Amino acid sequence: MTRHEFEVAMTCEGCSGAVSRILNKLGVETFEIDLPKKLVWIESDKDVQFLTEALKKSGKEVKYVGTK
Amino acid sequence: SASPLMSVITIHIEGMTCNSCVQSIEGMIPQKKGVMSAQVSLTDHSGVFEYDPLLTTPEELREAIEDMGFDAFLPVTNS
């Protein structure tokens, strides 16, 4: 399992709530969201492109930071 | 000046808490095929969408909003 760090342009609890619902729906095993820092950590074996596309469904800007 | 192939649907949306949520939906949904416009209201918890009924359906719009991570409900029709 790899731990990936993404920067997602979230500004409120609605935004982070939307992101976590998307990840839940995907069946992503483990994730953590830091709203003030606009960071999302995902532990998954799925590839980065798949995860990026999924996060982009929220309509927010998504940037892959790297493995953390 | 509405064209004959344009319908309007109001969809109830839960889970939006700020203007950024509103802008995300207003930015994403009109990218869908058949959607002409989206006007989302944070205070009313709803969005008004103009769409071409030949290209998309209210149910598809509802699903697109759900895919973005919000709860979306179509109006109950009194028939």
Side-chain angles (χ1 to χ4, degrees):
Chain A
M1 207 79 99
T2 318
R3 189 169 151 98
H4 301 284
E5 185 178 287
F6 292 89
E7 224 178 270
V8 182
M10 303 173 288
T11 54
C12 69
E13 264 133 60
C15 304
S16 62
V19 169
S20 46
R21 290 191 57 191
I22 289 172
L23 292 173
N24 275 326
K25 245 190 245 182
L26 279 181
V28 162
E29 298 80 3
T30 318
F31 63 88
E32 206 182 305
I33 296 177
D34 186 325
L35 181 55
K37 289 185 182 149
K38 302 183 196 302
L39 293 176
V40 178
W41 293 279
I42 302 175
E43 255 175 62
S44 174
D45 287 330
K46 297 188 173 77
D47 64 49
V48 170
Q49 178 149 14
F50 176 87
L51 296 171
T52 307
E53 287 309 311
L55 289 171
K56 278 190 178 159
K57 278 188 171 185
S58 66
K60 308 191 184 304
E61 224 176 283
V62 177
K63 209 179 102 194
Y64 182 56
V65 183
T67 52
K68 278 280 154 76
Chain B
S1 60
S3 89
L5 293 180
M6 190 171 78
S7 298
V8 179
I9 179 86
T10 302
I11 299 178
H12 185 80
I13 306 168
E14 283 299 335
M16 304 182 292
T17 56
C18 71
N19 267 320
S20 158
C21 302
V22 168
Q23 280 161 18
S24 300
I25 297 174
E26 284 184 344
M28 283 289 276
I29 301 300
Q31 289 178 30
K32 270 184 67 70
K33 203 174 107 194
V35 182
M36 268 99 62
S37 77
Q39 266 203 312
V40 177
S41 161
L42 188 58
T43 42
D44 294 347
H45 302 262
S46 71
V48 179
F49 302 89
E50 287 178 329
Y51 66 98
D52 182 336
L54 293 180
L55 296 174
T56 190
T57 62
E59 177 55 24
E60 274 183 11
L61 293 176
R62 193 194 66 79
E63 275 169 25
I65 299 166
E66 290 262 344
D67 280 347
M68 293 184 63
F70 297 98
D71 272 323
F73 307 91
L74 294 178
V76 182
T77 48
N78 352 283
S79 50

